[in-house]
Amino acid sequence: MTDAPAVPSLLLTRSDRHIGARVADSALRSYGSAAAVDEFRHWMDAERTRTSANAERIPLDDLVGWRSDPDTGAIAHESGRFFAVEGLSVEIPGSAVPYWEQPIMNQPEIGILGILAREFDGVLYFLMQAKAEPGNCNGVQISPTVQATRSNYTGVHRGRPVPYLEYFTDTSAHRVIADVRQSEQGSAFLRKRNRNMVIEVREDVELLDGFRWLTAGQLHELLRVDDLVNMDARSVLACLPFTGPGRDRAGRDGFTAALVRSCGGGEGGLHPMESLLSWITATRSGTEVRTRTVPLAGLSHWRRGPDRISHDGGGFFDVIGVKVEASGREVGGWTQPMFAARRPGIVAFLVTRVEGVLHVLTQLRVEPGFVDVAELAPTVQCTPENHERLPAGARPPFLDEVLRAAADAIRFDVTLSDEGGRFYHTRNRHLIVETAERHEHPDFRWMTLHQLAGLLRHSHYVDMQARSLLACLHTLRTEPGR
Amino acid sequence: MTDAPAVPSLLLTRSDRHIGARVADSALRSYGSAAAVDEFRHWMDAERTRTSANAERIPLDDLVGWRSDPDTGAIAHESGRFFAVEGLSVEIPGSAVPYWEQPIMNQPEIGILGILAREFDGVLYFLMQAKAEPGNCNGVQISPTVQATRSNYTGVHRGRPVPYLEYFTDTSAHRVIADVRQSEQGSAFLRKRNRNMVIEVREDVELLDGFRWLTAGQLHELLRVDDLVNMDARSVLACLPFTGPGRDRAGRDGFTAALVRSCGGGEGGLHPMESLLSWITATRSGTEVRTRTVPLAGLSHWRRGPDRISHDGGGFFDVIGVKVEASGREVGGWTQPMFAARRPGIVAFLVTRVEGVLHVLTQLRVEPGFVDVAELAPTVQCTPENHERLPAGARPPFLDEVLRAAADAIRFDVTLSDEGGRFYHTRNRHLIVETAERHEHPDFRWMTLHQLAGLLRHSHYVDMQARSLLACLHTLRTEPGR
């Protein structure tokens, strides 16, 4: 640090730039030893005995506190809060599948996904929670400090107050690193958004049971483990700025160096930012997505059995009921509907180096639940089996290239869970595949991480799956210690 | 220019930075002589004889091609296109006026407001149109190259094709300087947006009657004339990037120097960008705006007479009918409903210098027609007479400070028209007032022009009135030649 000036300046924005470097520095601090990782796993195992949210599948008619509307079949909580499962008709004239109907979750409230940050000995740490969710295939996963719906913190649950929530509802005494409403899955939620927040405190914070301070580097190591870092945590981590050095044994020609340059932005990208923004504007202005709430009971190609609402073809997802027995949470037990994917999905980024700068192939994807028509999505975002029945034109581009990638082109391959409060045992294989081919496709653009980071400061540009993969991509700032 | 490298780089973003400097350079090129300004006025006068759209007020029942719904009273075009006048109920719990009803224009189509740019002898020029609109108090005003609703260019008008439209519907061969959907007045339109576009061409462009190439500096001189540069042109001009030098006789301590520094961003601002974004996110997440379409016929406090739908108190605006006789346009004559403000409004920015960097006091304003709850608005945006009847808590902050400003604190004071296709003789006094007082108010923030420019690249952050004033503020990059 340089000496403080005699008269401190009121103009503060310059210090903004440092936060990306502090996050990048935190990403260099990993566990450092197998023993330290073991210790963390031991703690997670202990948390799994201390806290749980075990779900048992029950018939839809056995949901308690939830009511199926006699006219429409829509399933809603009797309080009118939480969320409802409704029917949706979707019309997208001119698209490969121009009309369909589907169940959708309607949750108009904007919740908070918040991570608290604090510096210890010059290194930035993030306060993470070992949280049990009923839909998790393994009970407890690593979650943000706070994961609260409005119902949570306005007391509809009648449960215990949400710990650390006050840092996010009043940020005036703290430093905002990120605070942006981001969408959740637009194929399952009708216009659902959550506030993704990272707040840095300079004061002491009491460390409660079930919470741990982790560096970005430690989080990156844990992201390489299947089903360990939950979806909400990945969503918020993707909104962190990263500028500054990585670590790469191959030196300045290596993959990591290209990734670091891509974050910095000084080298530019294949497309100027204005041209990328114009592509998004043109698509959003020229695409008509007509959605209408329709009776859940009468959806074409969907039928309600005792245990599930499912698609005739057996694809997509089921709407199921679960009974939850919880310990170590605000509420001891409840029942609720959930969405359960029939099969794991695939989300994948093709990445390539252009003059030593890493570029990511993003698609502009239209989903019925998006607030603003289309969002940037991974190169591939699909459940391959769902496309076997669809017309050939609806086969996802680049899916085959990703599935047939050579082992040494696969930079990341980890299966991670969708949010366990709404999705039951629903998982996506996360793949990052390097290619030498600079594909061109009207619905896709190569973008730098700097360009994506610029868009992530604003709402509704980057979809949940792309955010999840971007959190994974940042783990490659340091080579895994294999 | 430096020599071109032997192998040209594919990474293009760097050249992006130059556009702001080229715009700023164009702003230094003004008419230079009274004779040149006279010549332009002479051309405008000639245009006023060549082209016209004279409006005559007619009873609402005499509208042809428009139908008042017998049940609701809503006035819509028989084709279902253009726009409709409907009733809206607005509920904003906790606000100074928590419930009201009003007429509103519903125009869901996204039109194009486009300005074509081209370099001549190293200077950037903008192609502007002398366009007659029925609501203009003076017939013809300076408008963007293209001002087209979707109905215009999909042929519902059955008029002539829109000149130059093709540059904006297919930008692939050109350079995009700006392309962003921006809101229009949220108190008069229900979620109306237009694409605000500036497209640079490198090829020759045929100059049609009624069009002129103008520098940014010439446009700035014309912006200092009452009712000359129309609202759509101001909206698009506000989306232009400005970086690079201005001209100020007072040197580096002058107002212009502070304005130029404010555009550059290198000096920072009173609030870091993340903290401003967090303020916007918190307001949008925490404010509930419930709007509902209700019968226009039954609006409380509004009544329909033969000539107008008006408010009981005589304030706000009237919905009127006009018959238009046009020449030099796509269509020769028509009738339509319009909104007519009862009195001129005031839009004003308080500005202040902080350590030599100009800051603008913006408010986060909630309007029923905004797509996303709230947008940044001028310090003052109101019609003073409308507030005489409202409770004291609803008196607009800073209105009195603006109205009582000393003459030497007033940097800009010009009355400009609202868009003449929808608004009849509706005008706002545009004021920019310098203050030494660094006000603090929970609903207001001091922002630099660099910060506002960053937000203007994205949709729905900066409202129409603030964009209009920002276009005016940039005229102060050069001192007027008085």
Side-chain angles (χ1 to χ4, degrees), chain B residues 108-150:
Chain B
E109 297 175 344
I110 297 176
I112 290 177
L113 308 178
I115 295 182
L116 210 58
R118 190 182 186 287
E119 202 172 276
F120 296 95
D121 295 331
V123 178
L124 207 55
Y125 282 73
F126 302 95
L127 187 61
M128 306 303 289
Q129 182 181 183
K131 190 172 169 71
E133 294 281 9
N136 288 348
C137 55
N138 54 354
V140 171
Q141 297 190 7
I142 299 174
S143 309
T145 320
V146 163
Q147 194 174 300
T149 61
R150 251 184 109 78

Short mmCIF file of all heavy atoms in Angstrom, two decimals, chain B residues 108-150:
data_model
loop_
_atom_site.label_atom_id
_atom_site.label_comp_id
_atom_site.label_asym_id
_atom_site.label_seq_id
_atom_site.Cartn_x
_atom_site.Cartn_y
_atom_site.Cartn_z
N PRO B 108 -47.34 -2.22 -27.45
CA PRO B 108 -46.33 -3.23 -27.09
C PRO B 108 -45.22 -3.42 -28.13
O PRO B 108 -44.17 -3.96 -27.82
CB PRO B 108 -47.15 -4.51 -26.93
CG PRO B 108 -48.42 -4.28 -27.67
CD PRO B 108 -48.65 -2.80 -27.70
N GLU B 109 -45.43 -2.96 -29.36
CA GLU B 109 -44.40 -3.19 -30.39
C GLU B 109 -43.14 -2.39 -30.11
O GLU B 109 -43.20 -1.26 -29.64
CB GLU B 109 -44.94 -2.75 -31.76
CG GLU B 109 -46.12 -3.52 -32.24
CD GLU B 109 -46.64 -2.94 -33.54
OE1 GLU B 109 -46.27 -1.79 -33.88
OE2 GLU B 109 -47.39 -3.62 -34.21
N ILE B 110 -42.01 -2.96 -30.45
CA ILE B 110 -40.73 -2.27 -30.30
C ILE B 110 -40.35 -1.65 -31.64
O ILE B 110 -40.07 -2.35 -32.61
CB ILE B 110 -39.64 -3.24 -29.81
CG1 ILE B 110 -40.01 -3.78 -28.43
CG2 ILE B 110 -38.28 -2.55 -29.78
CD1 ILE B 110 -39.07 -4.81 -27.86
N GLY B 111 -40.39 -0.32 -31.71
CA GLY B 111 -40.03 0.38 -32.94
C GLY B 111 -38.53 0.67 -33.01
O GLY B 111 -37.76 0.28 -32.14
N ILE B 112 -38.14 1.35 -34.07
CA ILE B 112 -36.73 1.70 -34.27
C ILE B 112 -36.59 3.22 -34.32
O ILE B 112 -37.29 3.88 -35.09
CB ILE B 112 -36.19 1.08 -35.58
CG1 ILE B 112 -36.06 -0.44 -35.44
CG2 ILE B 112 -34.83 1.70 -35.95
CD1 ILE B 112 -35.60 -1.14 -36.70
N LEU B 113 -35.70 3.75 -33.48
CA LEU B 113 -35.25 5.13 -33.60
C LEU B 113 -33.78 5.04 -33.98
O LEU B 113 -32.94 4.66 -33.16
CB LEU B 113 -35.40 5.89 -32.28
CG LEU B 113 -36.77 5.83 -31.60
CD1 LEU B 113 -36.74 6.58 -30.27
CD2 LEU B 113 -37.83 6.41 -32.52
N GLY B 114 -33.48 5.35 -35.25
CA GLY B 114 -32.12 5.09 -35.72
C GLY B 114 -31.48 6.32 -36.33
O GLY B 114 -32.12 7.05 -37.08
N ILE B 115 -30.21 6.54 -35.98
CA ILE B 115 -29.44 7.61 -36.62
C ILE B 115 -28.27 6.97 -37.37
O ILE B 115 -27.53 6.17 -36.81
CB ILE B 115 -28.91 8.62 -35.57
CG1 ILE B 115 -30.09 9.34 -34.88
CG2 ILE B 115 -27.98 9.64 -36.22
CD1 ILE B 115 -29.67 10.39 -33.86
N LEU B 116 -28.16 7.34 -38.65
CA LEU B 116 -27.07 6.86 -39.48
C LEU B 116 -25.88 7.80 -39.30
O LEU B 116 -26.06 9.03 -39.29
CB LEU B 116 -27.52 6.87 -40.94
CG LEU B 116 -26.92 5.83 -41.89
CD1 LEU B 116 -27.18 4.42 -41.41
CD2 LEU B 116 -27.50 6.01 -43.30
N ALA B 117 -24.68 7.24 -39.14
CA ALA B 117 -23.48 8.06 -38.99
C ALA B 117 -22.51 7.73 -40.12
O ALA B 117 -22.48 6.61 -40.63
CB ALA B 117 -22.81 7.78 -37.64
N ARG B 118 -21.72 8.74 -40.53
CA ARG B 118 -20.73 8.51 -41.58
C ARG B 118 -19.63 9.55 -41.42
O ARG B 118 -19.88 10.68 -41.00
CB ARG B 118 -21.38 8.64 -42.96
CG ARG B 118 -20.48 8.18 -44.09
CD ARG B 118 -21.18 8.37 -45.43
NE ARG B 118 -20.44 7.82 -46.54
CZ ARG B 118 -19.33 8.35 -47.06
NH1 ARG B 118 -18.83 9.46 -46.56
NH2 ARG B 118 -18.72 7.78 -48.10
N GLU B 119 -18.41 9.13 -41.75
CA GLU B 119 -17.28 10.04 -41.63
C GLU B 119 -17.06 10.75 -42.96
O GLU B 119 -17.05 10.12 -44.02
CB GLU B 119 -16.04 9.25 -41.24
CG GLU B 119 -14.97 10.08 -40.60
CD GLU B 119 -13.83 9.23 -40.06
OE1 GLU B 119 -13.97 8.73 -38.92
OE2 GLU B 119 -12.83 9.06 -40.76
N PHE B 120 -16.94 12.08 -42.90
CA PHE B 120 -16.54 12.88 -44.07
C PHE B 120 -15.30 13.67 -43.67
O PHE B 120 -15.34 14.39 -42.65
CB PHE B 120 -17.66 13.86 -44.47
CG PHE B 120 -18.93 13.20 -44.94
CD1 PHE B 120 -19.97 12.97 -44.05
CD2 PHE B 120 -19.09 12.80 -46.27
CE1 PHE B 120 -21.15 12.37 -44.46
CE2 PHE B 120 -20.27 12.21 -46.69
CZ PHE B 120 -21.30 11.99 -45.79
N ASP B 121 -14.24 13.56 -44.44
CA ASP B 121 -12.99 14.28 -44.14
C ASP B 121 -12.57 14.12 -42.69
O ASP B 121 -12.20 15.09 -42.01
CB ASP B 121 -13.15 15.78 -44.46
CG ASP B 121 -13.36 16.00 -45.96
OD1 ASP B 121 -12.86 15.18 -46.75
OD2 ASP B 121 -14.04 16.98 -46.31
N GLY B 122 -12.68 12.91 -42.17
CA GLY B 122 -12.20 12.62 -40.82
C GLY B 122 -13.13 13.06 -39.70
O GLY B 122 -12.79 12.90 -38.53
N VAL B 123 -14.30 13.58 -40.05
CA VAL B 123 -15.24 14.03 -39.01
C VAL B 123 -16.53 13.22 -39.12
O VAL B 123 -17.04 12.99 -40.23
CB VAL B 123 -15.56 15.53 -39.16
CG1 VAL B 123 -16.57 15.97 -38.11
CG2 VAL B 123 -14.28 16.35 -39.06
N LEU B 124 -17.06 12.82 -37.97
CA LEU B 124 -18.28 12.02 -37.92
C LEU B 124 -19.51 12.92 -38.07
O LEU B 124 -19.64 13.92 -37.37
CB LEU B 124 -18.33 11.28 -36.58
CG LEU B 124 -19.10 9.97 -36.47
CD1 LEU B 124 -18.62 8.95 -37.49
CD2 LEU B 124 -18.95 9.41 -35.06
N TYR B 125 -20.38 12.56 -39.00
CA TYR B 125 -21.64 13.28 -39.23
C TYR B 125 -22.81 12.34 -38.97
O TYR B 125 -22.69 11.13 -39.13
CB TYR B 125 -21.72 13.80 -40.67
CG TYR B 125 -20.89 15.03 -40.93
CD1 TYR B 125 -19.51 14.96 -41.01
CD2 TYR B 125 -21.50 16.28 -41.09
CE1 TYR B 125 -18.74 16.10 -41.25
CE2 TYR B 125 -20.74 17.42 -41.33
CZ TYR B 125 -19.36 17.32 -41.41
OH TYR B 125 -18.62 18.44 -41.64
N PHE B 126 -23.94 12.93 -38.63
CA PHE B 126 -25.15 12.17 -38.34
C PHE B 126 -26.25 12.61 -39.30
O PHE B 126 -26.45 13.81 -39.51
CB PHE B 126 -25.56 12.40 -36.88
CG PHE B 126 -24.48 12.00 -35.92
CD1 PHE B 126 -23.58 12.95 -35.43
CD2 PHE B 126 -24.32 10.68 -35.54
CE1 PHE B 126 -22.55 12.59 -34.58
CE2 PHE B 126 -23.29 10.31 -34.68
CZ PHE B 126 -22.41 11.27 -34.20
N LEU B 127 -26.96 11.64 -39.87
CA LEU B 127 -27.99 11.95 -40.86
C LEU B 127 -29.32 12.24 -40.14
O LEU B 127 -29.92 11.34 -39.54
CB LEU B 127 -28.16 10.78 -41.84
CG LEU B 127 -29.09 11.03 -43.02
CD1 LEU B 127 -28.58 12.18 -43.88
CD2 LEU B 127 -29.22 9.76 -43.88
N MET B 128 -29.76 13.48 -40.19
CA MET B 128 -30.96 13.89 -39.47
C MET B 128 -32.05 14.26 -40.47
O MET B 128 -31.78 14.69 -41.59
CB MET B 128 -30.66 15.07 -38.55
CG MET B 128 -29.49 14.83 -37.58
SD MET B 128 -29.64 13.38 -36.49
CE MET B 128 -30.94 13.93 -35.39
N GLN B 129 -33.28 14.13 -40.03
CA GLN B 129 -34.43 14.35 -40.89
C GLN B 129 -35.24 15.54 -40.36
O GLN B 129 -35.43 15.68 -39.16
CB GLN B 129 -35.29 13.07 -40.86
CG GLN B 129 -36.50 13.14 -41.75
CD GLN B 129 -37.37 11.88 -41.70
OE1 GLN B 129 -38.35 11.78 -42.41
NE2 GLN B 129 -37.01 10.93 -40.86
N ALA B 130 -35.72 16.36 -41.29
CA ALA B 130 -36.68 17.40 -40.92
C ALA B 130 -38.06 16.76 -41.06
O ALA B 130 -38.55 16.58 -42.17
CB ALA B 130 -36.54 18.61 -41.83
N LYS B 131 -38.65 16.40 -39.93
CA LYS B 131 -39.86 15.57 -39.98
C LYS B 131 -41.04 16.31 -39.34
O LYS B 131 -40.91 16.87 -38.25
CB LYS B 131 -39.60 14.25 -39.24
CG LYS B 131 -40.69 13.20 -39.42
CD LYS B 131 -40.25 11.87 -38.82
CE LYS B 131 -41.38 10.88 -38.73
NZ LYS B 131 -41.82 10.37 -40.02
N ALA B 132 -42.16 16.28 -40.04
CA ALA B 132 -43.38 16.89 -39.51
C ALA B 132 -44.14 15.85 -38.70
O ALA B 132 -44.28 14.71 -39.11
CB ALA B 132 -44.24 17.38 -40.67
N GLU B 133 -44.59 16.25 -37.51
CA GLU B 133 -45.42 15.38 -36.69
C GLU B 133 -46.64 16.19 -36.25
O GLU B 133 -46.52 17.38 -35.94
CB GLU B 133 -44.65 14.91 -35.45
CG GLU B 133 -43.48 13.99 -35.73
CD GLU B 133 -43.90 12.55 -36.02
OE1 GLU B 133 -45.12 12.30 -36.17
OE2 GLU B 133 -43.01 11.70 -36.12
N PRO B 134 -47.79 15.54 -36.17
CA PRO B 134 -49.02 16.29 -35.89
C PRO B 134 -49.03 16.98 -34.53
O PRO B 134 -49.66 18.03 -34.39
CB PRO B 134 -50.11 15.22 -35.96
CG PRO B 134 -49.42 13.90 -35.85
CD PRO B 134 -48.06 14.11 -36.42
N GLY B 135 -48.31 16.44 -33.56
CA GLY B 135 -48.35 17.04 -32.24
C GLY B 135 -47.37 18.18 -32.04
O GLY B 135 -47.41 18.85 -31.01
N ASN B 136 -46.46 18.36 -33.00
CA ASN B 136 -45.46 19.43 -32.86
C ASN B 136 -46.14 20.80 -32.90
O ASN B 136 -46.95 21.07 -33.80
CB ASN B 136 -44.42 19.36 -33.98
CG ASN B 136 -43.48 18.17 -33.83
OD1 ASN B 136 -43.46 17.53 -32.79
ND2 ASN B 136 -42.72 17.88 -34.88
N CYS B 137 -45.76 21.68 -31.98
CA CYS B 137 -46.35 23.01 -31.96
C CYS B 137 -45.86 23.84 -33.16
O CYS B 137 -46.45 24.87 -33.48
CB CYS B 137 -46.00 23.72 -30.66
SG CYS B 137 -44.23 23.79 -30.33
N ASN B 138 -44.77 23.37 -33.79
CA ASN B 138 -44.20 24.12 -34.91
C ASN B 138 -44.02 23.25 -36.16
O ASN B 138 -43.15 23.52 -36.99
CB ASN B 138 -42.86 24.72 -34.49
CG ASN B 138 -41.92 23.64 -33.93
OD1 ASN B 138 -42.34 22.48 -33.76
ND2 ASN B 138 -40.69 24.01 -33.66
N GLY B 139 -44.81 22.20 -36.25
CA GLY B 139 -44.78 21.38 -37.46
C GLY B 139 -43.57 20.49 -37.57
O GLY B 139 -43.58 19.34 -37.11
N VAL B 140 -42.49 21.05 -38.12
CA VAL B 140 -41.31 20.23 -38.44
C VAL B 140 -40.25 20.38 -37.35
O VAL B 140 -39.96 21.49 -36.91
CB VAL B 140 -40.75 20.67 -39.81
CG1 VAL B 140 -39.41 20.01 -40.08
CG2 VAL B 140 -41.74 20.34 -40.92
N GLN B 141 -39.68 19.25 -36.93
CA GLN B 141 -38.53 19.29 -36.02
C GLN B 141 -37.45 18.33 -36.53
O GLN B 141 -37.70 17.52 -37.42
CB GLN B 141 -38.95 18.89 -34.59
CG GLN B 141 -39.97 19.86 -33.98
CD GLN B 141 -40.22 19.64 -32.49
OE1 GLN B 141 -39.54 18.85 -31.84
NE2 GLN B 141 -41.18 20.37 -31.95
N ILE B 142 -36.26 18.46 -35.96
CA ILE B 142 -35.13 17.62 -36.37
C ILE B 142 -35.26 16.26 -35.69
O ILE B 142 -35.34 16.18 -34.46
CB ILE B 142 -33.80 18.29 -36.00
CG1 ILE B 142 -33.72 19.62 -36.74
CG2 ILE B 142 -32.63 17.38 -36.35
CD1 ILE B 142 -32.53 20.44 -36.34
N SER B 143 -35.27 15.21 -36.51
CA SER B 143 -35.59 13.88 -36.04
C SER B 143 -34.48 12.91 -36.46
O SER B 143 -33.65 13.24 -37.30
CB SER B 143 -36.92 13.43 -36.67
OG SER B 143 -37.91 14.42 -36.47
N PRO B 144 -34.51 11.70 -35.88
CA PRO B 144 -33.52 10.70 -36.31
C PRO B 144 -33.70 10.36 -37.79
O PRO B 144 -34.73 10.68 -38.39
CB PRO B 144 -33.85 9.50 -35.43
CG PRO B 144 -34.61 10.04 -34.27
CD PRO B 144 -35.36 11.22 -34.79
N THR B 145 -32.69 9.69 -38.37
CA THR B 145 -32.80 9.22 -39.74
C THR B 145 -34.07 8.40 -39.92
O THR B 145 -34.80 8.58 -40.90
CB THR B 145 -31.59 8.32 -40.09
OG1 THR B 145 -30.40 8.87 -39.53
CG2 THR B 145 -31.45 8.16 -41.59
N VAL B 146 -34.28 7.50 -38.99
CA VAL B 146 -35.44 6.60 -39.07
C VAL B 146 -36.18 6.66 -37.74
O VAL B 146 -35.57 6.64 -36.67
CB VAL B 146 -34.99 5.15 -39.35
CG1 VAL B 146 -36.10 4.16 -39.02
CG2 VAL B 146 -34.57 5.00 -40.81
N GLN B 147 -37.48 6.74 -37.84
CA GLN B 147 -38.35 6.79 -36.67
C GLN B 147 -39.54 5.94 -37.08
O GLN B 147 -40.45 6.42 -37.72
CB GLN B 147 -38.73 8.24 -36.45
CG GLN B 147 -39.34 8.61 -35.15
CD GLN B 147 -39.51 10.13 -35.06
OE1 GLN B 147 -38.55 10.88 -35.12
NE2 GLN B 147 -40.74 10.58 -34.94
N ALA B 148 -39.47 4.64 -36.78
CA ALA B 148 -40.44 3.71 -37.36
C ALA B 148 -41.01 2.78 -36.32
O ALA B 148 -40.27 2.16 -35.57
CB ALA B 148 -39.77 2.88 -38.46
N THR B 149 -42.33 2.73 -36.24
CA THR B 149 -42.96 1.68 -35.46
C THR B 149 -42.90 0.41 -36.30
O THR B 149 -42.64 0.45 -37.50
CB THR B 149 -44.43 2.00 -35.18
OG1 THR B 149 -45.11 2.10 -36.44
CG2 THR B 149 -44.58 3.33 -34.46
N ARG B 150 -43.15 -0.72 -35.65
CA ARG B 150 -43.19 -1.97 -36.40
C ARG B 150 -44.31 -1.91 -37.44
O ARG B 150 -44.17 -2.45 -38.54
CB ARG B 150 -43.44 -3.15 -35.47
CG ARG B 150 -42.22 -4.03 -35.31
CD ARG B 150 -42.54 -5.23 -34.45
NE ARG B 150 -42.59 -6.47 -35.23
CZ ARG B 150 -41.53 -7.13 -35.62
NH1 ARG B 150 -40.32 -6.68 -35.37
NH2 ARG B 150 -41.64 -8.26 -36.30
#
